[in-house]
Amino acid sequence: MLVFIAEVGVMFVLPHVLPKFLGETGTALVDAILLTLVCAPVLWWVISAAAATEAERLTMARETEALRAQQMTTLAQLATGVAHEIRNPLTSIKMLIQVNRGKFADGGLPTDDLELVEQEIRRMERSVNSLLDYARPEQGELSVFPIQTVIRKTVQLINGRCQSSGVKLAVDCDDEPITIDGDPAQIQQLLLNLSLNALDAMPSGGELTIAAKTTGGQLELSVADSGEGIRDDMLAKLFTPFSTSKPTGIGLGLGICRRIAVSHGGTLTGANRVTGGAEFKLVLPISAERNPTEQTITTDNTTADRGAVSQAEASCKPY
């Protein structure tokens, strides 16, 4: 508005104050100079204000990230100490129940009650182990392996639960091995956690889809379900520790999954699907090594069956 008012004023005033011999060219030149003198301070102020705002935003972001890192470090130390103090007594109690179950039953304590106590102890152990896994991630052994191997093993683990829950399991991946460099046990833990979460979201049946493809030199592995989806209040804190919508959950599973993804140079994201349900996507860099059999097959004197073994390891099928 300031520039507009200045330009209008200059256009009306200049013809009356400038000498006639300047002509239209001279008038236009003077007009440009005056307009520049008016605009320059305004533009400088706008640019300076924008730069100051951006610098302040970056400073706040760095401070927030530093505070979050400090909180995570403190949380990890606290979780490790508490988990160790709880796990040892739980282990002792569980062993006493297992060893003396017969004596307890003879003493009048119902067997069903003993089984319930043992189940609850195992549930507490899982929670404690989740705390330990989050606070002190396991250092795995790196190797080059096809992602199809991990998918196949995961499908074998969840196939029984899918059938009992009335969930249709669909697997979609390339026939050609997609090799990545990392720890297959950790990647399998990540994929298994995502699959179990998807099954928890479909207690009355549905469809679970595990898909793997290559996009722009990267592996894109997705786990999608047809459940109710992620609640709006959980979308912004999916991977925040102790944030969960499950009645018996502790909210560390997705945080562990994201850390596994980051440690492998990848990313893990989650969102609701337009067609219903939720979808989690894991993106990992593809290894330059295209023949994983040299590292994943034990050494022997025969090499004729290497191609067959490679094809079997690359298959996504459970059987």
Side-chain angles (χ1 to χ4, degrees):
M1 181 61 68
L2 178 62
V3 174
F4 174 76
I5 294 174
E7 175 64 13
V8 171
V10 169
M11 290 177 61
F12 279 108
V13 173
L14 278 184
H16 302 287
V17 299
L18 292 179
K20 298 294 184 180
F21 66 85
L22 288 178
E24 294 183 358
T25 302
T27 303
L29 181 60
V30 174
D31 185 12
I33 294 174
L34 293 177
L35 186 60
T36 302
L37 293 176
V38 173
C39 292
V42 176
L43 293 177
W44 176 84
W45 179 81
V46 171
I47 294 173
S48 299
T53 303
E54 181 64 16
E56 183 179 357
R57 187 189 66 81
L58 292 176
T59 301
M60 292 181 61
R62 284 194 292 265
E63 292 177 352
T64 302
E65 187 63 25
L67 179 61
R68 181 177 179 275
Q70 183 179 1
Q71 290 175 342
M72 289 297 100
T73 302
T74 303
L75 175 62
Q77 295 173 350
L78 177 63
T80 302
V82 172
H84 276 298
E85 292 298 324
I86 294 177
R87 186 171 63 172
N88 293 336
L90 284 179
T91 303
S92 301
I93 295 172
K94 184 181 67 175
M95 291 179 61
L96 287 174
I97 292 177
Q98 292 174 342
V99 172
N100 298 291
R101 178 175 292 180
K103 295 181 181 179
F104 291 150
D106 295 338
L109 187 61
T111 305
D112 293 342
D113 291 347
L114 291 176
E115 292 181 356
L116 179 60
V117 171
E118 187 174 350
Q119 290 176 1
E120 291 301 306
I121 291 176
R122 292 184 183 276
R123 185 170 67 87
M124 288 188 287
E125 278 186 330
R126 287 194 298 269
S127 300
V128 170
N129 289 333
S130 296
L131 284 171
L132 289 174
D133 290 339
Y134 186 84
R136 188 183 55 200
E138 179 183 358
Q139 298 297 327
E141 297 182 0
L142 301 182
S143 62
V144 178
F145 62 95
I147 193 62
Q148 285 91 337
T149 302
V150 172
I151 296 176
R152 176 172 54 83
K153 292 180 179 179
T154 303
V155 168
Q156 289 177 338
L157 292 174
I158 66 174
N159 196 42
R161 180 173 172 182
C162 289
Q163 294 178 358
S164 62
S165 301
V167 174
K168 179 182 177 182
L169 177 60
V171 180
D172 180 17
C173 63
D174 296 336
D175 293 332
E176 173 145 3
I178 305 175
T179 57
I180 60 175
D181 190 359
D183 180 15
Q186 290 188 359
I187 298 299
Q188 180 176 332
Q189 178 188 358
L190 186 157
L191 182 57
L192 181 60
N193 285 345
L194 296 180
S195 300
L196 292 177
N197 285 344
L199 290 173
D200 290 339
M202 299 181 292
S204 302
E207 184 174 353
L208 171 61
T209 303
I210 300 176
K213 63 180 180 179
T214 57
T215 303
Q218 292 182 316
L219 163 68
E220 185 177 292
L221 178 62
S222 63
V223 177
D225 64 72
S226 59
E228 296 181 355
I230 306 170
R231 292 200 325 237
D232 293 338
D233 60 328
M234 290 297 300
L235 281 172
K237 51 183 180 179
L238 270 179
F239 304 98
T240 303
F242 305 111
S243 296
T244 179
S245 57
K246 297 181 181 180
T248 59
I250 60 174
L252 291 177
L254 288 178
I256 295 174
C257 289
R258 169 167 278 188
R259 187 155 59 182
I260 292 175
V262 172
S263 67
H264 284 73
T267 59
L268 178 64
T269 57
N272 286 322
R273 304 168 64 193
V274 177
T275 56
E279 182 177 21
F280 285 84
K281 288 186 178 181
L282 171 67
V283 178
L284 293 175
I286 295 178
S287 173
E289 175 63 54
R290 300 302 298 174
N291 185 14
T293 58
E294 296 295 333
Q295 299 186 31
T296 57
I297 299 177
T298 55
T299 305
D300 54 20
N301 294 327
T302 61
T303 59
D305 295 334
R306 283 186 181 271
V309 174
S310 175
Q311 186 64 25
E313 288 294 319
S315 175
C316 292
K317 298 179 180 179
Y319 306 109

